[in-house]
Amino acid sequence: MPHLHIEKFNKLELPYEKDGVSFNFFAKNTKHDDEILISTTVEDEDFFLLLKDDENKTLLKTDKLTRPASTQKVHNALLTYAKEAKLNVLSSNVHTAAKNIHLEKITALKNIEYFADNFPDVEDVAIEVGFGSGRHLLHQAKNNPNTLYIGIEIHRPSIEQVLKQISIQELDNLLVLDYDARLFMELIPSNIVSQIFVHFPVPWDKKPHRRVISTSFIEEARRVLKVGGTLELRTDSENYYAYSYEIFINFPKITLNIRKNSDIEISSKYEDRWKRMEKNIYDVTMINDLDSKALNIEGDFSFNEYKDDYDKLLSLSGVTKRFEGGFIHFERAYSLEDGIMLRTSMGSFDRPEHLYVVVRGKDINYYPSMPLKSKSNLRAHKFLNEVLNG
Ligand SMILES: C[S@@+](CC[C@H](N)C(=O)[O-])C[C@H]1O[C@@H](n2cnc3c(N)ncnc32)[C@H](O)[C@@H]1O
């Protein structure tokens, strides 16, 4: 993660603009004085820089929840703030020098709005969830030029490695998304995907709610797959295999193909490691036989006017509220010069959305952008509106 280790923080007078970077407002954690968020805009993209004391070091870094896909924008914002506020930088991993020319040329990295606003209109789509080193994804894209491959990953170094390969191999049928695949599934149109690969997902033995495979993931997979399309789970974890099998088999009608220790065209880095350790590898392939209804998501993310006082908002910090099929957790509160901001996770338990909610006077807004327009988020939004105004 890009960061600057600084001697002491100095506040700029906000709003402040320099060379295309704008700093808009500060948000201060109401329980920890040493945590300040700085609202930042670079090339129309809004995100927070985060000031935080970490093991006796004062660090200025990027806020994980709002970080933009482009590391360059974060570098630019960090260096601009440090220069303009005359911060004494003791050490840093942020460089101004040589940009990665492969990443410069890349247009394959898309944000979630790209897919939400207008899903690519192509004949054939295949998706790989958690592509890691990308060996399998790159191999598939190279060998099937008429299929659009969408690779979804949340690990930034893996994404950059694959973007570099897309540029080197000049692939024009591969898009990459830095997002939680479980949420992404909800906005894919119905019956357009021919293959979904979930290879060696993190087993999350202690936190099963974080697993990619769940009943709702399979429901979405059945909806987005064409008739005859497949969802391929490949895992070395006997536990994950048993857990997933149980979920698949609970569907009243489903076609599964199960194999043990069978080789596929290309072996991933993980797979090579497990094979050296002589671990068993399990494949569960679901063949879709449903023709699903078109995706139809009704509703919006508007709020009623805020009627209460700020003390009520502050008292929500740390509170979890549940509703049927989901929850809202108010992680922490921040004070703004003219309002209150809540860091919130909301939605369904197995694919929550994390975002900020800003209240200024009567106005309530999400920051920096609206939640993804999915059924579970719309349900959670309706409930949030009631909690804030109830
Ligand atoms: C164990 S690795 C396997 C990587 C690759 N498929 C392979 O076979 O080598 C699992 C990958 O899934 C990614 N991942 C985990 N949860 C995810 C999610 N909800 N959405 C997208 N990617 C996810 C992780 O970042 C990690 O890179």
Side-chain angles (χ1 to χ4, degrees), residues 170-186:
E170 298 184 343
L171 297 172
D172 60 4
N173 62 329
L174 174 48
L175 300 178
V176 171
L177 172 66
D178 174 5
Y179 207 73
D180 187 327
R182 299 170 298 174
L183 283 163
F184 173 69
M185 292 293 285
E186 290 193 46

Side-chain angles (χ1 to χ4, degrees), residues 130-132 152-155 179-182 199-200 202 268 270:
F131 53 75
I152 309 154
E153 204 11 283
I154 47 178
H155 183 236
Y179 207 73
D180 187 327
R182 299 170 298 174
H199 285 181
F200 302 96
V202 183
S268 81
Y270 278 88

